[in-house]
Amino acid sequence: KVGFDQLKLWYQTLDDLLAQKKRVEKQIFLELRDLFSLQPDLVFYDITSTYFEGGGPAGLGRFGYSRDGKPRNRQIVIGVVMMDGWPVAHHVFAGNRLDQTTVMEVVQDLQARFELNRVVFVGDRGMMTIGNVDQLRQLRQGYLVGLQRRNRKDTADYIALAETRSDWQPCPMGITAAEKSAPPRTRVVEVAGKEPGVRVFVVHSDEREEYERSMRELSMQRARKDLEALRAQVDKGELKEPDKIGAAAATKLHRNHGHRYFAWDLRKGKFEFFEHPLNLAREKALEGKYVIQTEEPNLSAVEAVTAYKQLNEVERGFSHLKDLLELRPVYHRRDERVEAHVFVAALALLLDRALEKSLRAAGSQLSSPFAWRALELMRCVEVELGTRRKRCVTRGNMHVAEVLRATGITELAPPAPPEDRPCLM
């Protein structure tokens, strides 16, 4: 059981930690820069969310777009900044904050705290607005961002232009792709931007095309089933009034993105649906393709794709934050305790990245989640031998030994706690 005094002491450590957040993050950045020759020219930024059980705090806890499938729970939005695969900073926003409204706040914080003269900001679709791009130009910062495919007409124009080109360049494939009998290709071609100095790259991924095609076919199957059921209702006379039929059709087309694939008609009381002559063709043309925009003059097309793909590292970090490091759900009811909770998880993510990089450098094939689970086999135990007590650490198995070798840990004897400091165990 945990007593109130002990719980109060634990919470006080959260308050003390949060008070040092800016200083700690800057010191971590400086250490990483010196130890690993960190090159802070590319800054990767992405957004996630996590939800509350209970009411949540009144300030940060808001209803918004839930990436956890919990739209009825209040949430917070978390932005993570990474460089060379290392998390160097994070931000906690109210749960209803839109992605694009956080960009300039993060960029200005990087300038002020880390004293970075110029960086190339790398962000996913939805991060950039025309206003954000203009502000980055004013601040003399670079950018490399994905463009939304459906909400921007110029994106479809760029893809259509790319289809007429024959000078597509192959991009390096990952290890898992290279091991397949028919390795999926990723190709890129640069097309003319619509503003001076703006460069646009259209990327076509075979793997992504296969996935998006399968998802479209599944959605079409479900939408077709809904529309066939509606047609049967109309044929049976269960729905007769045109406005009710139209409302039912709109509802069914809203599900499974049916409006992207089908259109319908009502003539002389007979309901018919058919493949949309424009929308479906546009959806097929988008499959497997994404568009990247930048104004960096010295970045090649292949380098742009490679850099943009590194955003996957941020997304993988989010997965570790939420699952392995148990960021979600959040139970705190005060804003500052919520921020401290996220800070602890962010520091744990830093250790996770350090472990993973150590494993790779040692040639180990173990993933960091597997390594953490293996280390759970190690236990600090206390043995009583008559009047004597001795502390020791269990050795674990072969995987534990592999992790210890990769991290260079040889001394397993647990340190004795200082006599003048209370033990929290």
Side-chain angles (χ1 to χ4, degrees):
K1 294 182 179 180
V2 178
F4 175 77
D5 291 339
Q6 191 174 25
L7 188 62
K8 184 178 180 181
L9 181 61
W10 286 352
Y11 277 134
Q12 183 60 51
T13 62
L14 287 179
D15 297 338
D16 294 342
L17 178 65
L18 183 62
Q20 301 298 322
K21 175 181 179 294
K22 291 187 176 181
R23 183 186 65 81
V24 169
E25 285 187 333
K26 182 174 181 180
Q27 192 60 40
I28 287 173
F29 166 74
L30 295 176
E31 290 289 338
L32 291 173
R33 185 190 63 183
D34 295 342
L35 287 173
F36 302 102
S37 300
L38 196 67
Q39 298 296 324
D41 49 352
L42 288 178
V43 172
F44 299 87
Y45 176 66
D46 207 352
I47 288 285
T48 190
S49 62
T50 191
Y51 61 91
F52 294 96
E53 291 291 356
L60 291 173
R62 291 284 188 272
F63 294 105
Y65 172 66
S66 174
R67 295 160 176 85
D68 301 308
K70 298 280 187 177
R72 296 186 179 182
N73 292 57
R74 293 180 183 272
Q75 66 172 21
I76 52 172
V77 169
I78 303 168
V80 174
V81 178
M82 298 184 77
M83 298 179 187
D84 285 354
W86 293 102
V88 297
H90 75 277
H91 298 261
V92 180
F93 305 104
N96 58 354
R97 191 78 177 263
L98 299 177
D99 297 7
Q100 62 266 29
T101 67
T102 69
V103 171
M104 296 314 303
E105 184 174 333
V106 171
V107 171
Q108 290 169 348
D109 176 70
L110 287 172
Q111 283 185 305
R113 279 203 293 153
F114 301 107
E115 301 173 1
L116 302 177
N117 293 325
R118 188 181 187 278
V119 297
V120 178
F121 181 90
V122 185
D124 206 348
R125 300 188 302 267
M127 285 289 179
M128 282 308 199
T129 63
I130 295 175
N132 283 341
V133 171
D134 289 341
Q135 286 182 291
L136 285 173
R137 288 169 178 161
Q138 292 172 10
L139 294 172
R140 297 185 178 180
Q141 302 297 311
Y143 68 89
L144 177 69
V145 295
L147 301 183
Q148 292 183 339
R149 294 189 299 177
R150 293 185 178 86
N151 297 335
R152 295 181 54 143
K153 182 181 180 299
D154 54 356
T155 304
D157 294 340
Y158 291 139
I159 291 176
L161 181 59
E163 291 292 346
T164 67
R165 300 282 291 274
S166 59
D167 54 339
W168 291 77
Q169 300 178 53
C171 299
M173 63 182 67
I175 296 175
T176 55
E179 291 175 345
K180 295 182 179 180
S181 56
R185 299 177 303 166
T186 298
R187 299 169 297 148
V188 61
V189 66
E190 182 172 356
V191 298
K194 295 189 176 182
E195 298 178 64
V198 171
R199 304 176 65 199
V200 175
F201 307 102
V202 177
V203 188
H204 188 165
S205 164
D206 290 349
E207 193 170 29
R208 182 168 179 161
E209 181 180 13
E210 181 180 357
Y211 170 76
E212 291 182 347
R213 183 191 302 117
S214 66
M215 295 303 294
R216 171 181 57 80
E217 289 173 350
L218 179 61
S219 294
M220 288 185 69
Q221 181 180 352
R222 291 171 175 172
R224 184 180 288 109
K225 187 176 180 180
D226 282 345
L227 292 170
E228 286 173 348
L230 175 58
R231 181 169 59 190
Q233 280 185 292
V234 175
D235 290 345
K236 292 177 182 178
E238 296 174 0
L239 278 179
K240 297 181 179 180
E241 298 180 14
D243 57 338
K244 291 185 178 181
I245 295 174
T251 299
K252 293 183 182 297
L253 286 173
H254 182 71
R255 299 176 194 159
N256 303 303
H257 306 297
H259 61 280
R260 297 177 181 174
Y261 318 121
F262 295 105
W264 61 276
D265 193 13
L266 183 65
R267 293 185 181 181
K268 297 181 180 180
K270 189 170 182 61
F271 177 83
E272 294 292 344
F273 68 92
F274 46 89
E275 293 183 351
H276 199 292
L278 298 178
N279 292 357
L280 180 57
R282 182 180 60 192
E283 289 299 314
K284 289 181 178 180
L286 292 177
E287 288 172 358
K289 302 180 183 68
Y290 56 96
V291 180
I292 306 171
Q293 178 176 310
T294 187
E295 293 183 35
E296 296 302 298
N298 299 320
L299 203 62
S300 72
V302 173
E303 289 171 341
V305 176
T306 302
Y308 187 72
K309 281 185 174 182
Q310 289 184 49
L311 277 174
N312 292 333
E313 283 295 302
V314 189
E315 295 179 1
R316 197 160 59 90
F318 288 153
S319 176
H320 285 201
L321 271 175
K322 293 182 177 183
D323 299 328
L324 178 66
L325 307 179
E326 299 182 358
L327 172 64
R328 64 181 180 187
V330 184
Y331 294 92
H332 297 289
R333 298 180 61 84
R334 290 171 50 184
D335 284 345
E336 58 271 24
R337 295 278 164 78
V338 172
E339 293 182 58
H341 173 85
V342 176
F343 189 19
V344 171
L347 292 174
L349 176 61
L350 179 69
L351 294 177
D352 179 71
R353 296 291 95 152
L355 174 60
E356 185 171 81
K357 287 176 180 290
S358 295
L359 291 169
R360 296 292 83 79
S364 172
Q365 297 301 311
L366 299 181
S367 66
S368 64
F370 185 92
W372 289 122
R373 287 193 294 270
L375 290 175
E376 290 177 1
L377 298 176
M378 297 183 66
R379 290 288 188 271
C380 180
V381 297
E382 190 173 69
V383 181
E384 290 188 10
L385 300 172
T387 58
R388 296 176 56 196
R389 290 185 176 184
K390 181 180 180 180
R391 286 186 175 181
C392 58
V393 175
T394 59
R395 295 284 172 169
N397 58 16
M398 57 181 291
H399 297 306
V400 174
E402 184 175 346
V403 175
L404 295 178
R405 283 196 302 270
T407 54
I409 297 175
T410 56
E411 181 57 57
L412 298 183
E419 295 182 0
D420 60 341
R421 184 173 300 174
C423 181
L424 297 180
M425 297 298 291

